[in-house]
Amino acid sequence: MKKTALYPGCSLEGTANAYLASFQKAMSAMGIEIDELADWNCCGATSAHAVDHALYLSLAARNLELAEKQGYEEVLAPCAACYHRLASANAEFVKKDDLLGKVNSESELNYGGSVKVRNVLDLLANVIGSNRISQQVKNPLTGLNAVCYYGCLNTRIPHFKSFDDVAYPMSMDRIVSSLGANALDWGYKTDCCGASLFVTAESTTYRLVSKIIKDAEARGADCIVVACPMCHNNLDTKQADICREYEIKRTIPVLFITQLMGLAFGIDKSELRLADHFVDADKVGPAA
Amino acid sequence: MIQENTNTDKKLKGSVLVVGAGIAGMQAALDTADAGYKVYLLEQLPSIGGNMARLDKTFPTNDCAMCMISPKLVETGRHLNIEIISYAELLSMEGEPGNFQIKIQKKARYVDEETCNGCGDCERECPVALRDSFNGELSTRPAIYRMYPQAIPNVFTVEKRAFLPPCRGTCPAGVNAQGYIGLISKGMFLEALDLVRERMPFAGACGRICHHPCEAKCNRADIDAAVSVRHLKRFVADYERDLMVKGESIERAPSEKPKPEKNSFEEKIAVIGGGPAGMTCANDLVLKGYPVTVFDSSDKLGGMMRWGIPAYRLPRDFLDHEIDIITKQGIDVELNKTMGKDFTVDSLKKDGYKAVFVATGAQLERRIPLEGSETDGVLYGIPFLREVNEGKEPDVGKRVVVIGGGNVATDVARSAVRLVGDGSVDLFCLESRDEMPAHDWEIKESEEENVVINNSWGPKRVVTKDGKLHGIEFVRCKSVFDGDGKFNPAFDDSDTKLVEADSVILAVGQACDLSFLEDTLELGRGVIKVDRLTLETSAEGVFAGGDNVLGPASLVQATEQGHRGAESIHRYLRGMDLTEDREPVERPKELADIPAHADTKPVARKPVKMSCPTSRTESFEEIETGYTEEEAVAEASRCLNCGACCECFECVRVCKAHAVNHDMKPEEINLDVGAVILTNGYDPFDATLKSEYSFGRAENVVTSIQFERILSASGPYKGHLQRPSDGKTPRKIAWIQCVGSRDAAIGNDYCSSVCCMYATKEAIIAKEHEKAVEPTIFYTDMRAFGKGFEGFYNRGRDVTGIRYVRSQVSSLKENPENGNIIARYVGPEGIVEEEFDIVVLSIGLVSHHATKGLASITGIDCNRFGFAESQPFENVISSKPGIFLSGAMAGPKDIPDTVMESSAAAARCGEFLAPVRGTEVLAKEHPAEKDIAGKEPRIGVFICHCGTNIASVVDVEEVAAYARTLGCVVHAQNTLYTCSQDTQEMIKDLIREKDLNRVIVASCTPRTHEPLFKETMQEAGLNPYMFEMVNIREQCSWVHQGQSSEATAKAKSLIRGGVGKSQLLEPLMLSRVDVTHSALVIGGGIVGLTASLSLARQGYKVFLLERTGELGGNLRHLYKSLEGHDWQAYLKDAIHDAEAHPDIEIILNTELEEISGFVGNFRTVLSGSGREIEHGVVIVATGAEEWQPDKYMFGEDERVITQRQLEEKLEGDFSAKKVVMMQCAGSRCEEREYCSRVCCGEAVKNALDIKEKDPSAEVTVLYRDLRTYSFRELYYRKARELGVRFVHFPDDRYPEITVRDGALNCEVYDDMIGETLTFTPDLMVLSAAMVPIREDNARLGDLLKVPLDKDGFFMEAHVKLQPVDFANAGVFLCGLAHSPKYTEENISQALAAAGRAARILSRDSLQVGGAVASVIEEKCASCLTCIRECAYNAPFINANGKAEIEAAKCQGCGNCAAACPAKAIQLSTFTDSQEAALFKNILNDDSNVEMEVVEGAVG
């Protein structure tokens, strides 16, 4: 494995702390160590990239330069928004001549463009691989029906060849299968969850989330597995309200992929921070 | 630019290779062969027909595709000069144009093409089910298959895969698991058992105790769970035994496999050891015919199966039963005879044994040094099990400790459980749970039976108290293996424990006792040393195998050794090479993966039932229960058939023609040909690449090709419109256009040309199937550009009620509640989510997967999409001389364009190989016909079994006996396959021997077989019209299955009718008419010039008629093509070539005045001079013209011009800054329903030209549907990229063009944004319609007696398959006179007309007569009915004022005969009296009555 730095971003230190905790547990269970990038800064998601493109490129370039300086070949960004920003900037640097030079000189940076950006799914499916994951399984999640929700950002980066199929990715499904669970086929893998509209247009988010939950419910999912803090937030926090409003029969626990791995690896639920979630995830496990 | 043949030396070959046998290849082959060249037609699939054979109907006429293609298949299949090489691939091509050396590899079909009659008996027996790719994988087919019922060659093919299925490949004994599982799935249990026994004589034992490595590798495990292979094997063994116990028959269907005579060899063989290895060896040798004696030191046979395996796993009576079956085959058994004691190798040799197989097993326990192990109560596993298995019940007390972690240990522990009653059994082993060598299921079952498993403990010492066993002390084992993975246990001495026990059983391994061998055989590491391949020992004639060679091994491994030993002994005794072609002991590494066509839907594995753990430990009764028949069939049906063919050889058994040969090898074919025509076609786009459409996941999302199959009567649902998920009839059906086309994101940025029309067709047909269907088509531009397409589209919208929605669907999702599909798209009011029952993806055409390889072999160029690149202006000429192209190989196109190109390629080939025309073709010669005038009818009747097709329903023997009783029948007999080559010879002999003058064959359909039998008649010197065919298959056995006696009676009636008619048959004579080898071409534009030049270059005289004083026609006004090539230079060359060619006579300022005659012999009077010319064919190439608009300010303001005028302007000074173009000016309207096809491309061409001249110029194109089909789409895209604006307006809201304040004003409603836009262009360009020259066409149509369509263009014989022929033979059509087209398409069509014409001109004479109609003048009332009815203009009023039928034109269809009110017309071989005799005799069901012979029967 190439030398990789962890870029947690703001959400993994805040709302998605369970993602970070479970990620670290799952990795160390497999004997993989990933250090945090020292002195990282904001990735430029939400507002920066929308209001000032140059600022966002500088923010990304600084993070990537840090990685380069600290001797890393790759940066792992578990948050889909961070991943999207860092990978997009990187792709822009490659695509547009002189852009990197311009950003470097304006921001007094010296990023060489050598760092590869990955997200957790890419790392798990393409670097670590199902074999190594399945070898670590202590409690196979036999009989557990999971739907994998990739969200909109993980596979859709402009000018950047996606690590998986854009519209119907399978990497998370394969990881879930290697944990012994059934990854169900469903059509909402990459549909929009409403993202930050949750704050500004709640009803839109409710409608979008309701479709996702409704279909997952109809397919008999026991849980929804995600790899993005924002997706998790939208699907989990107000799910009970949404189910009531849209007459969905039951709520469905939403877990980070790393939490599901932790369960299969036999890591204690409290360490995986399952209790952090709004929809009760305590019963997720092998079918009785 | 045109390829002239420069290869002038004598090496030129008069044969042509056509690669790809879809409609393009068949047409090219037929036209080339008919023009006098030998054709080799290469097809990579088992049968010809290509994609067209999969279609249900074709647009725009909705003709049945199969009905159209089937006659082509038959014609191609039986053409004397077309050799079909199917299931074959091009390997290499060397040489030079005119003389290529071709290498072809013909794949092994495993069915002999010459012998197979296509009867289908094999198909019914095959147990394999693979998804049928011909049916879009919506149904399954067997591994031995025919692509479709009408396939040519009409023979079967066995599909095998490169590697063995994992189950069979992994089995050490090589048991054909897929084979027997397949047979079980068909309920053929005994046949399955026989197949098991070929490699595993102990089927029942193996079915119980095998550790089944096959299941570990089963591909099914990747989907849900492995197939229960072991248990299925057990089932068949149990099945047979149950029958035997009940005393029922276990007779098998007779097998074709040769059985050796018993005792065919006399060399005696000794087998030492009656375990699985020895018994397998003995079994094999006895079956080979050797006398064999088995020696065993015990009192019973079975070896470790008996003494090592506890009875609860393998009941003794079953083992005895299987041993009994083996020994009863004639094996001598010497029990209680121990080697080294009672006999030796030497003594055996002295006793006359010529070979010895030593299989004495591993019968010793392994011991470990352990303090106190000599104490009473310390036992060893192997002797303990032996004692138990001998039926003794050793006293082990109440507390038993078993030491060991392997399978012997668990057997010991579980046996002990059955002895201790309510006592305890503890198992201790060094290994952790994961490391235990015992199988998981053994551990699990042990625990169920209350064995307590204690992991990671090693025995330290046996503890005694008072000299008696007290217990055993264990020490904690930290690890079993060291860093290198070697067995090297490490202990933690501080952690020990004492376990009290009444007995301790050590089960830590097994070893071989080889002490008896003394020094006779060389040893190595505790086993006998052998050659692993042959099992030869150090002693001559002595072989060894099994545990004493391998160390303790499994039943399957032992069996493998037995087979291997037997084979070696046989070879040794027969003096054969011991090593040749032997497979090594290691099984192959490469195994078949899940076949692409497997059905991978999860189906739960049928559980293996076990008796309850508490009750079962009370005895040694068997604990596992077998499957029921239903369970076995269901479980066997889960098999994925990874090897495709399972090699059960049932097909071999049932094939009465002995055509199946599983040993067939691929063969190489070498050919020398003069030219190559590539017609490789296309592949349908792989819809899984558009993952947003859920194809492959949502069952009710289907591709258009699947939907064709759904609609097809021969499709998976027999033509019933239903959806795949639940069989429900769909109501709402949606089509999504441009799936895989016009899509730069996936690299297919061209248009596939055909999808708009086929979607419309499918919608119309679906609606015809079910009135309730509501079709919706989502599209981008409706591209209805071909002849008759616009009308078809209008009909779809207005009559069928198709809802056309101009929007691209962004995603399809399955509704999990009902399987419906939710389509998401942008409608006028925003985003819509609409639910449909089925969604059809209109998938595009992509380059054929084999094209790339073909291109590299032949050296031609391909474009970036992988389609073959053609020369500028010349669609059928590749980048390499001598290699021609046709059809979708060179880009997506529809069937008429494809057929046209094939005829064009044939013409180009004919030009290229003109000097060697006719040099390699064969002509059939027949013996002189016997004169049968005045002779009594002597009829021979042949009644076909058609394998079992007829014979299984109709009692054919009885029918033959009956036929013999009928009048005039002098011979009647049954034939297995009447169509087979040997039967044809027999019929010929019988004709001579019995002086037959009429033959009747009662078999299948005349459609495919009548020509064959007629040919046989001619070969025997009989007139072919003395043959009569009776269909007792399609019309009898197939439709009356299960009604044997009625079907037999009906067959008799049908034959009786045939015999009645046969008596009245008359010989018909064919006459020959010479052909005039010259052509008349009417029209001197580029089309007429092209046709003339092609015919002249092919060696025929041409009269080129042009009514104006100048050659060149419309092309004089075109300067360049969309692709940027120079038309004027091309035209100049063509005119020059025509003027210079000695065989072309150009006649200017002249029209056709009068024409008479018929195909091959026309006579024409020219206008003006009144000169008469004679010619064999006519080609109409009279063109069309640009419409001069009478609106849109055209003619009122000089700034409003047509595209043609714009092009002229662009050649000179051009300065306009703002140009607006308006499409469909005069096209697609009430007066002219059709699309003018070229205007969109012309507009894009001129727009690009303007932009290139002046990038700042503003160009706007106003359009309804932009129809830049095929690669023209790329220019449309380029225009958008360069800033040309395209504005869509609705069909019913044309832009308004006015002049305001001196400025041109164009207002257009843009329905995308819902606003009206206003332009003030410098130039307003009208894309004016292309219109026929109506009056001239009408006049010429009358003269030539050929029809016009409703738009005033000439009407071809058949829109789809005869695009350049008129129904009137010898008259051809091409160019704009046919319909609007691009110039390069017109050129192809001109060549096509020349190619079709050459088929006639290349012949010396034409045959006339035969089965044609004729008029009885006395009865004719001259009412003209026949003239009106005939589609071929055959009848005319003769000098007597009566109707007469021109035999040369008559096609024998019978329309006139049926219509004639005076009954004055008779059709030969279908005369009234003949038909009356037929029906009278069918209806006369008293078989004893003398045959009614109608008066007038000739003798």
Side-chain angles (χ1 to χ4, degrees), chain B residues 642-713:
Chain B
C642 302
C645 168
C646 68
E647 303 196 336
C648 68
F649 302 122
E650 280 300 298
C651 48
V652 179
R653 184 175 65 79
V654 299
C655 179
K656 297 202 163 44
H658 306 290
V660 187
N661 171 12
H662 284 266
D663 298 326
M664 207 174 256
K665 297 272 180 299
E667 57 177 306
E668 216 166 84
I669 298 171
N670 291 297
L671 301 173
D672 289 345
V673 299
V676 177
I677 304 177
L678 298 177
T679 53
N680 206 38
Y682 66 91
D683 278 338
F685 173 73
D686 174 6
T688 57
L689 297 177
K690 296 291 286 176
S691 51
E692 64 269 38
Y693 291 148
S694 297
F695 177 73
R697 304 193 303 272
E699 278 187 279
N700 294 325
V701 175
V702 298
T703 66
S704 43
I705 197 92
Q706 286 180 318
F707 199 70
E708 294 282 341
R709 299 311 300 156
I710 289 176
L711 292 173
S712 171

Side-chain angles (χ1 to χ4, degrees), chain B residues 761-998:
Chain B
K761 170 201 72 182
E762 288 179 356
I764 293 174
I765 303 294
K767 180 90 180 167
E768 283 174 8
H769 276 248
E770 293 290 340
K771 274 212 176 64
V773 163
E774 297 167 24
T776 303
I777 296 180
F778 292 97
Y779 73 106
T780 316
D781 289 290
M782 183 44 55
R783 294 190 163 167
F785 55 83
K787 190 169 183 174
F789 293 4
E790 186 72 22
F792 189 65
Y793 164 44
N794 290 339
R795 196 183 121 203
R797 188 188 53 223
D798 303 336
V799 180
T800 306
I802 301 171
R803 180 170 69 120
Y804 286 93
V805 179
R806 199 181 147 86
S807 180
Q808 189 64 30
V809 170
S810 64
S811 79
L812 295 175
K813 288 189 169 60
E814 187 183 52
N815 180 344
E817 311 279 343
N818 52 16
N820 285 355
I821 305 299
I822 305 160
R824 186 182 166 91
Y825 64 96
V826 180
E829 261 79 58
I831 293 175
V832 184
E833 291 200 341
E834 188 177 347
E835 209 163 295
F836 294 92
D837 297 321
I838 287 196
V839 175
V840 183
L841 304 179
S842 292
I843 48 172
L845 276 50
V846 299
S847 65
H848 192 277
H849 59 276
T851 297
K852 212 173 159 193
L854 270 181
S856 83
I857 290 171
T858 55
I860 61 157
D861 297 336
C862 288
N863 66 15
R864 70 180 165 96
F865 309 111
F867 289 102
E869 193 105 64
S870 53
Q871 295 285 294
F873 312 118
E874 293 276 358
N875 288 344
V876 302
I877 295 184
S878 80
S879 55
K880 185 165 169 172
I883 299 181
F884 303 93
L885 307 168
S886 158
M889 166 104 186
K893 53 183 70 82
D894 64 9
I895 296 169
D897 283 358
T898 295
V899 170
M900 220 180 273
E901 286 190 357
S902 290
S903 299
R908 283 294 191 215
C909 241
E911 294 172 37
F912 191 69
L913 299 175
V916 286
R917 182 192 301 278
T919 53
E920 292 189 28
V921 291
L922 301 171
K924 200 96 198 188
E925 295 291 335
H926 293 302
E929 264 177 34
K930 261 199 292 196
D931 183 15
I932 57 168
K935 292 204 178 134
E936 282 295 309
R938 294 179 62 79
I939 305 176
V941 185
F942 298 90
I943 293 129
C944 189
H945 289 238
C946 194
T948 60
N949 275 289
I950 297 170
S952 66
V953 178
V954 173
D955 184 340
V956 286
E957 312 277 345
E958 190 185 319
V959 173
Y962 171 76
R964 281 180 213 113
T965 68
L966 298 174
C968 301
V969 173
V970 294
H971 179 85
Q973 74 167 99
N974 296 114
T975 47
L976 193 52
Y977 297 104
T978 316
C979 55
S980 68
Q981 192 53 43
D982 53 336
T983 308
Q984 299 305 296
E985 292 305 316
M986 183 195 78
I987 293 175
K988 279 192 261 180
D989 289 344
L990 280 163
I991 289 172
R992 283 181 215 113
E993 217 173 277
K994 300 211 168 177
D995 193 25
L996 303 178
N997 52 27
R998 282 159 178 78

Side-chain angles (χ1 to χ4, degrees), chain A residues 5 18 27 31 42 58 60 62 67 89 116 126 148-149 152 155 167-168 182 191 196 211 217 220 252 283 286:
Chain A
M27 286 295 142
C42 170
S58 300
R62 183 174 178 278
K116 185 174 164 65
N126 301 328
C148 296
Y149 182 69
C152 58
T155 59
Y168 198 82
N182 306 324
D191 272 44
S196 53
K211 287 185 181 183
E217 195 282 323
I252 302 171
K283 296 209 171 54

Side-chain angles (χ1 to χ4, degrees), chain B residues 226 261 370 599 696 851 877 1173 1198 1322 1466:
Chain B
E261 295 274 313
L370 180 65
D599 188 347
T851 297
I877 295 184
I1173 54 173
E1198 62 179 14
D1322 304 332
Q1466 291 288 312

Side-chain angles (χ1 to χ4, degrees), chain B residues 253-310:
Chain B
S255 167
E256 299 285 332
K257 277 179 205 159
K259 282 243 164 74
E261 295 274 313
K262 233 174 213 167
N263 298 324
S264 44
F265 302 115
E266 56 189 23
E267 294 94 340
K268 285 204 305 179
I269 299 160
V271 173
I272 322 298
M279 291 305 289
T280 301
C281 181
N283 185 50
D284 282 6
L285 289 167
V286 136
L287 289 177
K288 281 186 199 294
Y290 290 96
V292 183
T293 309
V294 175
F295 297 83
D296 197 284
S297 59
S298 313
D299 59 351
K300 281 182 177 136
L301 293 174
M304 271 302 176
M305 284 190 291
R306 182 181 298 281
W307 309 122
I309 308 284

